[in-house]
Amino acid sequence: MSNGKPANPATVAKSLNRSKDATAVSSVVEASNPVQGPNNIVAPTQMTGSQAIVRSLEELGVKDVFGLPGGAILPTYDPLMDSSKINHILVRHEQGAGHAAQGYAMVTGEVGVCIATSGPGATNLVTALADANMDSVPMVAITGQVNSNFIGTDAFQEADIVGITMPITKHAFLVTKAEDIPRVMASAFYLAQTGRPGPVLVDISKDAQTADTVFSWPPKIDLPGYRVVTKGHNKQLREAAKLISGATRPVFYVGGGVIKANAHEELKKFAEYIGAPVVTTLTARGAFPDSHPQHVGMPGMHGSVSAVTALQQADLLITLGARFDDRVTGVLSSFAPNAKVIHADIDPAEISKNRTADVPIVGSLDEIIPQLHAACETRFESEAPQDLKPWWDLISRLRDTYPIGYTPTHDGLTAPQKVIERIGAMTGPEGVYVAGVGQHQMWAAQFVKYERPRSWLNSAGLGTMGYSVPAAMGAKVAQPDRVVWAIDGDGCFQMTNQELATCVINQIPIKVAVINNSSLGMVRQWQTLFYDSRYSNTDLNTGHGTARIPDFVKLADAYGCVGLRCEREEDIDATIAKALEINDRPVVIDFVVSADSMVWPMVPAGVSNDQIQIARGMTPEWEEED
């Protein structure tokens, strides 16, 4: 898929040499055109609306789509069969198509594409669209709709998917005329990928798909009111540099926006220049290398003591692409009480939404961070920055005293943290790690070392169980040469494991680590801590000493995967090594682990981050200067 940049001369020449007839490439559009893709010009050509959909996808540079056909989208599946440029992957559930498109987009930065039919097909995409919206994932969902004259009549398999998804997409289009298809498709991709990325829905009536039209490319995009600001305001940049030069306890509060903007290299240079501690949120893991001496951990409810305390005791937050999420701030009124805030973000709606910014900067981080760097260099020529050694002495002591760790289990079963730690160590930083939601998600964020962006995928904002397997599938399609792990819980895995069939048939050899504690682990942890260990409806009967329904090894075998089980700590490395050796089909490992292991540190809901606990009933021992 395209990154939206204009084609280079070599690409232009190849495109021109390939085409001889009126329907192929005849020249290249101007670089200023906002249409994504290779920027080909296609002469007017007679075709159906369905053919226009497929041709639009081709011209937009789409290579892979995930979908499942049905009546209202069937006209489009016919010409899709003839496309030599688009690889369609038939999923087993539309939600799987949506999450696969997310995984594809998250590892590439390109637009992920999924297709579904009307009614229940479209509504099965809703969870994935909401997930993508919360985590700013560029994605286009194409859905079929009943004939336009039936809309609003409660026709068979009719659902107002545009109305349903308006609150959870960046935009939703309803297309009832075939001639509008190229323009809407180009607009959808432009909206999905520019500014703050997000999902866009294109709902196309069946009669628009079957009608004849004249297709030409590129269409004209007209999106009144949609203007993306990329460069920061010079006055705000100077004010930010002034705050940075005067700060004695600055912290880089880095969010997922840095990865979305591909600004990780700029961040590293700027952070090293300033010399302040860096914390990376759940969506920003890998935006700054874990091994870097300035990295002090992940903040939030299950963040490290050093990261949480750095934010709490800072006098300046250099906030880059983060949104002051409640899981990071805890009780908002007590979050970083003495800190001034510089807040840079591509989305002006995020700035001062939760925490008032002293210096707001709207723009793209790949441009803003170098601008901030330059502004600080200019400022430091006349005003030297403060000595940060006392600040680092405190942060380093906390980092050394309270590292992320875990204790041995008391029931003789394996510690789940150990399993995930070894998966990360044996696979290495070039792997891709995709988590479901719950305890295993937090452990994967804590115990895998992330050295590069786009190596960590998870459902952060929405917290969608069932995300991992299909998202890993999409990631592997996008980057087939990388090892892709779906680190899943036994609860999450049972929601979408039918996509293993998709993986086997399409030769997508992901590796699935089921962290099987036989329960809904995070819910059980809360029941242990806050509900007097009353385990209401959290036992799943999948693990040690239970009925093992289902038996994950037999399930894997039934799907044509390799099924392995690991029940002893001494077998962990050998089991992982065996999985890493198998690359011709998916591998599912049933890691039977202790149900009593908990995620620590933890800030209980509804309290200040100052009350972080390192274990049950245990808080750090603060010194007076803390």
Side-chain angles (χ1 to χ4, degrees):
M1 297 181 196
S2 170
N3 59 8
K5 295 180 180 178
N8 61 41
T11 304
V12 173
K14 289 179 182 178
S15 297
L16 291 173
N17 289 335
R18 276 200 307 266
S19 64
K20 300 294 183 184
D21 57 55
T23 65
V25 178
S26 60
S27 62
V28 176
V29 300
E30 296 179 2
S32 60
N33 194 309
V35 176
Q36 310 294 289
N39 287 332
N40 299 327
I41 290 181
V42 180
T45 309
Q46 190 81 20
M47 62 179 67
T48 66
S50 293
Q51 290 172 319
I53 294 169
V54 175
R55 188 62 187 270
S56 295
L57 289 172
E58 292 177 341
E59 293 302 327
L60 287 160
V62 174
K63 297 180 180 67
D64 302 284
V65 300
F66 305 87
L68 197 154
I73 196 66
L74 211 53
T76 296
Y77 267 82
D78 187 63
L80 183 60
M81 189 177 184
D82 297 328
S83 176
S84 61
K85 296 179 180 179
I86 299 173
N87 172 42
H88 178 275
I89 295 171
L90 174 64
V91 298
R92 296 305 181 266
H93 191 284
E94 291 91 352
Q95 183 180 345
H99 292 320
Q102 285 182 270
Y104 192 103
M106 290 182 75
V107 296
T108 62
E110 300 170 357
V111 177
V113 182
C114 57
I115 304 176
T117 193
S118 64
T123 58
N124 280 342
L125 289 176
V126 166
T127 297
L129 289 168
D131 197 298
N133 192 56
M134 288 284 275
D135 288 349
S136 304
V137 179
M139 170 178 158
V140 169
I142 301 166
T143 55
Q145 183 55 272
V146 299
N147 284 333
S148 57
N149 61 320
F150 287 159
I151 292 175
T153 69
D154 293 331
F156 177 67
Q157 290 195 332
E158 180 192 358
D160 180 9
I161 195 63
V162 170
I164 290 168
T165 60
M166 266 297 187
I168 55 167
T169 55
K170 194 170 179 182
H171 194 67
F173 294 94
L174 173 62
V175 181
T176 57
K177 296 180 180 178
E179 59 263 33
D180 293 338
I181 288 171
R183 174 184 58 81
V184 171
M185 292 291 290
S187 299
F189 274 71
Y190 179 68
L191 284 170
Q193 200 165 34
T194 58
R196 180 177 183 171
V200 178
L201 176 87
V202 181
D203 192 39
I204 307 174
S205 66
K206 191 171 184 179
D207 53 325
Q209 296 174 58
T210 57
D212 289 328
T213 188
V214 175
F215 177 91
S216 62
W217 197 267
K220 290 189 179 298
I221 292 179
D222 183 22
L223 297 168
Y226 183 73
R227 299 290 181 269
V228 179
V229 176
T230 58
K231 293 185 180 298
H233 193 283
N234 285 332
K235 179 178 182 295
Q236 300 302 90
L237 294 164
R238 290 193 298 269
E239 287 298 313
K242 180 179 178 181
L243 286 183
I244 292 170
S245 68
T248 59
R249 293 188 171 198
V251 178
F252 282 92
Y253 168 22
V254 176
V258 169
I259 294 176
K260 305 298 181 190
N262 295 313
H264 55 284
E265 291 292 346
E266 292 85 348
L267 168 66
K268 186 171 180 286
K269 291 176 184 177
F270 184 40
E272 288 176 343
Y273 178 71
I274 300 301
V278 178
V279 304
T280 52
T281 66
L282 184 63
T283 57
R285 305 290 287 114
F288 193 80
D290 279 4
S291 61
H292 197 286
Q294 284 175 244
H295 189 258
V296 297
M298 180 179 74
M301 176 176 278
H302 295 294
S304 66
V305 171
S306 53
V308 171
T309 307
L311 291 176
Q312 284 301 100
Q313 302 202 14
D315 65 358
L316 177 66
L317 303 184
I318 307 170
T319 309
L320 304 172
R323 58 190 181 90
F324 292 89
D325 175 71
D326 63 287
R327 289 291 165 122
V328 170
T329 65
V331 175
L332 187 61
S333 60
S334 65
F335 175 69
N338 300 312
K340 297 279 190 181
V341 173
I342 299 167
H343 192 175
D345 202 286
I346 189 72
D347 185 357
E350 284 296 343
I351 296 177
S352 295
K353 183 179 78 175
N354 294 328
R355 172 68 177 261
T356 301
D358 297 278
V359 179
I361 309 174
V362 177
S364 181
L365 293 173
D366 61 338
E367 297 198 39
I368 285 178
I369 294 175
Q371 287 181 297
L372 268 174
H373 193 153
C376 286
E377 287 180 327
T378 301
R379 180 79 188 188
F380 293 174
E381 289 176 1
S382 58
E383 181 182 342
Q386 301 296 309
D387 179 13
L388 301 186
K389 185 179 182 304
W391 181 222
W392 268 113
D393 288 343
L394 169 60
I395 297 297
S396 297
R397 181 179 64 78
L398 291 171
R399 185 166 55 182
D400 294 341
T401 306
Y402 303 106
I404 295 289
Y406 56 93
T407 57
T409 62
H410 298 295
D411 56 10
L413 296 176
T414 303
Q417 301 96 324
K418 175 78 170 180
V419 171
I420 293 171
E421 186 176 54
R422 294 307 299 156
I423 288 173
M426 294 180 68
T427 305
E430 293 304 313
V432 174
Y433 305 89
V434 188
V437 170
Q439 288 179 314
H440 63 280
Q441 175 190 24
M442 294 298 102
W443 289 322
Q446 292 175 335
F447 290 99
V448 176
K449 301 303 179 186
Y450 298 100
E451 299 295 315
R452 62 178 187 87
R454 303 191 185 279
S455 59
W456 162 243
L457 283 60
N458 77 125
S459 171
L462 196 64
T464 302
M465 294 180 69
Y467 169 90
S468 182
V469 169
M473 177 175 71
K476 185 67 174 176
V477 170
Q479 297 188 338
D481 294 332
R482 293 193 186 275
V483 176
V484 178
W485 280 97
I487 299 175
D488 222 352
D490 47 310
C492 291
F493 180 62
Q494 292 187 75
M495 294 195 172
T496 52
N497 63 36
Q498 68 270 19
E499 298 310 333
L500 290 174
T502 309
C503 291
V504 170
I505 289 171
N506 291 278
Q507 299 181 324
I508 307 168
I510 64 172
K511 305 183 193 305
V512 182
V514 181
I515 309 302
N516 183 4
N517 58 9
S518 197
S519 64
L520 300 172
M522 189 62 85
V523 181
R524 188 179 192 275
Q525 175 167 333
W526 280 54
Q527 288 173 334
T528 301
L529 296 175
F530 308 120
Y531 293 90
D532 298 323
S533 297
R534 289 166 53 84
Y535 300 123
S536 174
N537 292 282
T538 47
D539 189 351
L540 295 178
N541 281 288
T542 55
H544 176 78
T546 73
R548 279 193 168 139
I549 299 175
D551 183 317
F552 293 133
V553 175
K554 292 179 180 178
L555 181 70
D557 183 63
Y559 273 123
C561 306
V562 174
L564 306 173
R565 178 171 288 124
C566 179
E567 299 187 82
R568 303 187 306 164
E569 185 171 318
E570 55 264 37
D571 295 333
I572 292 173
D573 281 16
T575 306
I576 295 170
K578 186 173 182 179
L580 290 172
E581 291 171 357
I582 299 169
N583 294 303
D584 62 341
R585 48 186 162 156
V587 180
V588 177
I589 309 175
D590 180 13
F591 284 106
V592 181
V593 300
S594 174
D596 294 329
S597 294
M598 295 193 190
V599 183
W600 299 107
M602 180 178 181
V603 179
V607 304
S608 168
N609 282 353
D610 291 320
Q611 298 182 44
I612 187 172
Q613 296 182 12
I614 54 175
R616 190 172 186 179
M618 294 178 60
T619 57
E621 295 181 6
W622 308 113
E623 295 183 4
E624 284 191 15
E625 67 266 27
D626 295 352

